[in-house]
Amino acid sequence: MRKTWTVRLALAMSFLKTYLLQAEHLPIEVCQARSRSIPFMTAPSGVRVNKVKIPAFPYRVRAEAILYECLSEEERSLLGMERKPQGAKPGLRPSEGLQVNEHKTNDQDREQSDSESDSYSSSSSLSDGEWEEHQPLYREQKQDPFEEGLDAEWLEYIGDDDEDSDSNNENTSANQQKAAVLYLHGGGYYTGSKEEHRVLIGPLVKRLGKNIRILTINYRLAPQHPFPAALIDALTSYMWLMDQSVSEAFSLGSTSTPSRATLYQNQQTHEQPSTQDTFQPHQIVFMGDSAGGGLAISLSLLLRDYGCSSSLPQPRTIVTWSPWLDLSQSLPSFKENALTDCIPYENFVHQHSEVVDKMFEHEGEYVDPERGVRVRQRAQVYCPDSQLRMKYASPIFEKDFRGIPSIFI
């Protein structure tokens, strides 16, 4: 460890490095599932979690169209995006250019899960006959758990402080004092979750106080959903956030907290909050760690390149913790800091997994002599080598950072 480290930091780095070394014995799918189901990854005391669903339509549709507009012809070809997605009219928010999903669902369908694994947990309570009847539904959910949208959650501080907790949320001037953080978790783009990061974000929620809410999302992970899926989901979440009522967001923790089904139902209606009551860009901060930090900066670059500042302005600022800005890992610091870095310098290694076969069909694998299993030599599965230097994947290769807000690293 470095001489400047505290014992607590040294232990945390040692724990993370040991965890990553143990993960070498597991396929990527198992690492993904564990990151969303570790029992002790709960919110700290004084922090309440309110689950929401960010619908895929119209927000993801619009995000895909925006990304297409900002890519060059060469980049579109590399990403297989030759056809232009059908989005909303240029310069409009999703709520202004597209109608919200009119799909009718019953009460059972509106109940969203906290994680992908929760979608199947209720199967243990079904009888054999009921299981046979519902098995196609569970199989369909497992095939595409992101079809309806993204699982997300608000984190709020409900402990004691010196602030006046009885402020009128419906007062416009009071709402201007409120703010939201869009937090993008780390995990190398192929693991990590909002559930896993509660233990990291919880203390931050307490420090920020009752006037700030943190919104975290489970964006789609590689290799099942490679680049630019995570970037599209980040933009989707930002557009959804700007359509949310400040008053409603800061009343979720009251005694009359709506159910998850009610929250989801409200998102499917045509009613939109007044623009005076929705979150404005100066009330929003992008934040993320590791891959999430790089994703936050990539999102800001995308907003700048889109150029429609009136409909998709920049957030107030960006805060990142050790952002992953160079997916090519070509800078000298990767080697120079290898001994004190919890991330393996030679890249991640995992047990052979079927989900990475297509991505690595032209790359090598070897048989571990100690474990006797097939192992991939590379688990940087977010994008192939041909896309590593694209600025939306590795922001360090952007030559001009003018037009984006200040970044605190």
Side-chain angles (χ1 to χ4, degrees), residues 317 324 339:
T317 190
W324 192 14
L339 291 178

Side-chain angles (χ1 to χ4, degrees), residues 67-79:
L67 176 63
Y68 180 90
E69 293 290 341
C70 297
L71 294 172
S72 66
E73 289 293 338
E74 180 182 0
E75 290 171 333
R76 293 171 188 167
S77 178
L78 288 173
L79 295 173

Side-chain angles (χ1 to χ4, degrees), residues 59 93-95 238-245 272-273 278:
Y59 299 98
R93 285 188 180 182
S95 59
Y238 181 47
M239 292 190 294
W240 177 86
L241 178 56
M242 289 197 296
D243 277 346
Q244 300 312 296
S245 164
Q272 295 293 333
T278 56

Side-chain angles (χ1 to χ4, degrees), residues 47-62:
V47 175
R48 173 176 284 161
V49 176
N50 298 291
K51 303 167 189 175
V52 294
K53 192 84 167 184
I54 299 177
F57 184 85
Y59 299 98
R60 186 190 298 169
V61 176
R62 182 62 184 135

Side-chain angles (χ1 to χ4, degrees), residues 60-107:
R60 186 190 298 169
V61 176
R62 182 62 184 135
E64 291 173 347
I66 290 173
L67 176 63
Y68 180 90
E69 293 290 341
C70 297
L71 294 172
S72 66
E73 289 293 338
E74 180 182 0
E75 290 171 333
R76 293 171 188 167
S77 178
L78 288 173
L79 295 173
M81 296 180 65
E82 287 82 2
R83 291 187 177 183
K84 182 178 181 180
Q86 299 300 316
K89 296 179 180 179
L92 296 180
R93 285 188 180 182
S95 59
E96 299 170 322
L98 288 174
Q99 289 185 338
V100 179
N101 191 357
E102 297 181 2
H103 175 62
K104 302 298 183 180
T105 58
N106 55 38
D107 292 338

